[in-house]
Amino acid sequence: MSEFTCMKCGAVLKTDEIALYRKLISRGAQKYSCLNCLAEYLNVTKEDLEKLIEYYHRTGVCSLFAKWDDEDQKDQTLK
């Protein structure tokens, strides 16, 4: 399995970071940004983006994010 890294700072990316980049920037993206770099680019806070990720998981409205049914799934996904 290949590791994806942030195109700006080189940080290793989590699947949620890739999914959020695809949701907000380009569904067909092949290069991605970490939450810190994406927050800077969008002029929002990292916490704002984390809340958005949580929203997509909880609601299940976006197929890029697995739906969370409880706190245990949230804890396992964010680790």
Side-chain angles (χ1 to χ4, degrees), residues 3-14 17-18 21 30-41:
E3 283 190 351
F4 290 98
T5 57
C6 176
M7 64 180 148
K8 185 173 179 185
C9 72
V12 175
L13 301 175
K14 297 178 183 173
E17 292 172 306
I18 294 169
Y21 188 88
Q30 304 258 332
K31 295 181 180 180
Y32 314 98
S33 295
C34 67
L35 287 184
N36 289 325
C37 293
L38 185 58
E40 182 181 327
Y41 175 75

Side-chain angles (χ1 to χ4, degrees), residues 3-70:
E3 283 190 351
F4 290 98
T5 57
C6 176
M7 64 180 148
K8 185 173 179 185
C9 72
V12 175
L13 301 175
K14 297 178 183 173
T15 57
D16 283 343
E17 292 172 306
I18 294 169
L20 188 63
Y21 188 88
R22 285 185 167 173
K23 177 71 175 175
L24 299 178
I25 305 300
S26 173
R27 192 76 158 200
Q30 304 258 332
K31 295 181 180 180
Y32 314 98
S33 295
C34 67
L35 287 184
N36 289 325
C37 293
L38 185 58
E40 182 181 327
Y41 175 75
L42 296 173
N43 199 29
V44 297
T45 66
K46 180 181 176 184
E47 291 75 23
D48 291 335
L49 296 179
E50 289 170 339
K51 288 177 187 176
L52 192 55
I53 289 170
E54 185 171 341
Y55 165 79
Y56 287 125
H57 277 296
R58 292 230 180 272
T59 61
V61 298
C62 180
S63 61
L64 294 171
F65 300 88
K67 186 170 184 339
W68 286 341
D69 293 326
D70 58 32

